[in-house]
C-alpha cells in the first residue's frame, strides 16, 4: 500500500473518530448543551461574516460601476488583440444521455473565440464503459457510434513518426494517483470543425482522475514545447506510456501548431451547456490582471426544468449558496 492510500485511510479514521466522540458526548451530556455552543456556532458565524463582507463588496462594486457609467463612459469590451491564444476544452463524461452530450458538445463547438486567430482543441474523457439510466448503449458507444461517427478515427502508434522500439505496441496507458497503470483507447477527429481527442478509459476511476490526467499531460506538454529537453519526455513517460505521450502530442500540434504551448484550459461537465460568450468572458477576466490565475463561471439550472419542483428549488438554492457565498 502506498503513502497516499495510507494518508487517505488515516484521515478517514481520524474524522470518523472525532465525529463519533462528539456525537456520543453530546448525547450523554445533553443538558450541558452550552459547552458545545462554540463548535456548533463556528459554521454559522463564518457564513454570517462572509455574507456581510459580500454585501459590502457588492455595494462598493455597484457604486463604482455607476460612477464609471456617469462620469467615465467606460464600456466593457473584449480586447481586440491579434495575439494568437491556444486553449483546450475538457469534457469528462460517465453515464450521460445522448441528448446531454450533444447539447454540451454543440455549446463548445459554437463558442465565440476570444480572437479570430485563436487555436482550439477538445478533450473528451469517457470514464469507463458504463450505460447510464435509460441508455441503450454505453457512453463510449454513444460517442463513437453516434455523435462522433462522421469522421472518427482510432489512433494507432503506426500513425506516428517515431523510432521508439515499442512502436508496434498499440496499447495506451497512464498512471493513476495510486501508481497503477490503467488502459485507455484513443480516438480523434473533428466535431463541427473543432479538433478533438476522445479518451476512453477501460474502467471507472472518477472525474477527478480524468481532469488530473489531462492537466498533468498539458503541464508536461507545455514544459516540453517551451524547452524541447528530452528529460521532460522522460519525466512525462513515467506518468504516460510513450505511445500515449506521442499520440496526443501529435494531434495537439496538428490543431494548434508545432511547439505551441496551451495558454488556457476550459473545463465543463458533460451535462452542462456553455453560453456562447463563456470562453470570451473567462479569458477576458483572467487577462484583466496578471495576478489572476483562473476563474469560474456561474452555473445555473436549465430553463427546461420545472422551476417550482421541490428538487429543482433545492438544487437552485444549493448552487446559489455554494457559488455566491462559499466559493465567492
Amino acid at each position: 500500500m502506498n503513502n497516499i492510500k495510507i494518508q487517505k485511510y488515516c484521515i478517514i479514521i481520524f474524522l470518523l473518530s472525532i465525529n463519533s466522540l462528539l456525537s456520543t458526548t453530546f448525547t450523554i451530556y445533553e443538558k450541558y448543551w452550552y459547552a458545545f455552543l462554540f463548535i456548533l456556532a463556528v459554521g454559522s458565524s463564518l457564513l454570517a461574516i462572509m455574507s456581510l463582507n459580500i454585501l459590502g463588496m457588492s455595494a462598493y462594486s455597484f457604486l463604482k460601476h455607476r460612477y464609471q457609467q456617469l462620469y467615465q463612459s467606460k464600456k466593457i469590451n473584449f480586447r481586440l488583440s491579434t495575439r494568437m491564444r491556444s486553449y483546450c476544452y475538457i469534457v469528462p463524461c460517465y453515464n450521460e444521455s445522448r441528448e446531454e452530450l450533444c447539447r454540451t458538445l454543440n455549446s463548445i463547438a459554437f463558442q465565440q473565440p476570444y480572437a479570430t486567430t485563436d487555436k482550439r482543441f477538445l478533450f473528451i474523457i469517457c470514464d469507463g464503459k458504463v450505460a447510464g439510466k435509460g441508455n441503450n448503449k454505453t457512453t463510449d458507444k454513444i460517442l463513437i457510434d453516434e455523435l462522433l461517427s462522421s469522421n472518427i478515427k482510432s489512433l494507432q502508434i503506426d500513425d506516428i513518426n517515431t523510432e521508439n522500439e515499442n512502436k508496434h505496441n498499440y496499447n495506451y496507458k497512464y498512471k493513476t494517483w495510486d501508481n497503477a497503470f490503467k488502459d485507455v483507447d484513443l480516438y480523434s477527429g473533428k466535431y463541427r470543425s473543432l479538433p478533438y481527442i476522445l479518451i476512453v478509459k477501460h474502467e471507472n476511476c472518477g472525474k477527478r482522475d480524468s481532469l488530473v490526467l489531462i492537466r498533468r499531460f498539458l503541464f508536461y506538454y507545455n514544459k516540453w514545447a517551451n524547452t524541447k529537453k528530452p528529460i521532460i519526455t522522460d519525466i512525462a513517460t513515467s506518468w504516460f506510456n510513450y505511445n500515449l505521450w506521442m499520440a496526443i502530442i501529435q494531434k495537439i500540434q496538428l490543431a494548434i501548431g508545432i511547439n505551441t504551448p496551451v495558454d488556457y484550459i476550459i473545463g465543463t461537465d458533460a451535462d452542462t451547456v456553455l453560453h456562447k460568450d463563456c470562453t470570451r468572458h473567462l479569458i477576458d477576466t483572467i487577462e484583466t490582471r496578471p495576478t489572476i490565475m483562473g476563474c469560474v463561471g456561474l452555473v445555473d439550472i436549465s430553463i427546461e426544468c420545472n422551476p417550482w419542483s421541490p428538487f429543482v428549488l433545492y438544487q437552485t438554492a444549493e448552487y446559489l449558496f455554494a457559488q455566491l457565498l462559499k466559493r465567492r
Side-chain angles (χ1 to χ4, degrees):
M1 186 181 295
N2 58 45
N3 289 334
I4 298 179
K5 278 191 175 180
I6 293 174
Q7 291 174 21
K8 182 182 77 170
Y9 290 123
C10 286
I11 291 172
I12 290 173
I13 292 171
F14 173 76
L15 292 175
L16 184 62
S17 301
I18 291 295
N19 279 279
S20 300
L21 178 63
L22 289 173
S23 300
T24 304
T25 307
F26 188 81
T27 303
I28 296 173
Y29 301 102
E30 183 179 356
K31 62 181 179 179
Y32 300 108
W33 58 268
Y34 48 83
F36 301 90
L37 190 60
F38 175 76
I39 296 175
L40 297 174
V42 166
S44 299
S45 301
L46 283 174
L47 290 176
I49 293 170
M50 289 159 59
S51 300
L52 292 173
N53 186 31
I54 289 174
L55 285 174
M57 291 170 57
S58 300
Y60 171 77
S61 298
F62 174 77
L63 294 174
K64 181 179 178 181
H65 181 68
R66 288 294 297 164
Y67 173 80
Q68 291 174 344
Q69 283 185 325
L70 292 173
Y71 299 104
Q72 297 182 2
S73 298
K74 183 178 179 180
K75 295 182 180 179
I76 300 175
N77 292 316
F78 294 113
R79 290 161 181 75
L80 300 177
S81 171
T82 57
R83 177 179 73 85
M84 189 202 82
R85 297 167 182 80
S86 59
Y87 38 92
C88 289
Y89 295 98
I90 302 179
V91 179
C93 53
Y94 174 58
N95 60 354
E96 289 78 12
S97 67
R98 184 188 188 281
E99 290 71 25
E100 288 174 325
L101 291 166
C102 184
R103 285 198 297 263
T104 299
L105 295 179
N106 283 342
S107 73
I108 292 175
F110 295 139
Q111 284 291 290
Q112 294 295 318
Y114 191 82
T116 55
T117 54
D118 289 355
K119 301 291 185 180
R120 304 183 298 163
F121 195 80
L122 170 62
F123 282 103
I124 308 169
I125 309 98
C126 191
D127 192 20
K129 302 179 180 182
V130 178
K133 184 178 180 180
N135 293 342
N136 296 323
K137 296 182 178 180
T138 58
T139 305
D140 61 303
K141 291 299 181 182
I142 292 175
L143 289 165
I144 296 169
D145 298 341
E146 298 181 23
L147 296 180
L148 308 175
S149 61
S150 60
N151 61 5
I152 193 170
K153 177 184 178 184
S154 177
L155 282 184
Q156 294 183 347
I157 200 64
D158 278 343
D159 299 333
I160 300 162
N161 183 18
T162 176
E163 300 299 326
N164 183 262
E165 60 182 2
N166 296 322
K167 180 175 179 177
H168 297 288
N169 184 9
Y170 296 142
N171 66 332
Y172 300 103
K173 296 177 180 289
Y174 76 100
K175 187 190 292 185
T176 59
W177 64 273
D178 57 354
N179 293 323
F181 274 94
K182 304 291 185 180
D183 291 312
V184 298
D185 297 325
L186 286 187
Y187 303 86
S188 68
K190 287 188 176 182
Y191 184 80
R192 299 185 182 275
S193 76
L194 179 63
Y196 70 83
I197 281 185
L198 169 63
I199 302 176
V200 179
K201 297 193 284 188
H202 286 198
E203 56 185 283
N204 172 251
C205 298
K207 183 170 75 171
R208 181 176 296 178
D209 175 80
S210 300
L211 298 177
V212 169
L213 190 165
I214 299 302
R215 290 172 178 172
R216 178 178 284 132
F217 186 95
L218 292 177
F219 171 76
Y220 286 120
Y221 169 76
N222 275 4
K223 290 176 73 70
W224 176 82
N226 285 321
T227 63
K228 279 294 184 179
K229 291 182 178 179
I231 191 173
I232 303 299
T233 296
D234 293 339
I235 297 172
T237 50
S238 67
W239 289 101
F240 318 95
N241 72 342
Y242 189 84
N243 297 349
L244 182 65
W245 173 248
M246 291 305 301
I248 299 181
I249 280 182
Q250 184 194 52
K251 290 302 175 182
I252 290 179
Q253 290 190 333
L254 285 174
I256 66 176
I258 303 297
N259 303 334
T260 303
V262 176
D263 296 313
Y264 299 106
I265 299 174
I266 302 171
T268 186
D269 288 334
D271 59 354
T272 303
V273 175
L274 301 183
H275 185 276
K276 64 182 179 64
D277 284 323
C278 179
T279 297
R280 300 169 69 185
H281 280 292
L282 292 173
I283 294 177
D284 195 67
T285 300
I286 291 176
E287 296 192 353
T288 300
R289 295 197 305 273
T291 54
I292 298 178
M293 295 292 104
C295 64
V296 295
L298 178 67
V299 182
D300 202 356
I301 304 296
S302 171
I303 58 174
E304 297 176 0
C305 298
N306 177 11
W308 300 111
S309 164
F311 299 103
V312 174
L313 288 171
Y314 175 76
Q315 191 174 18
T316 303
E318 280 290 308
Y319 276 13
L320 293 174
F321 175 70
Q323 296 178 106
L324 300 183
L325 185 62
K326 293 170 69 177
R327 187 177 291 173
R328 187 173 179 186

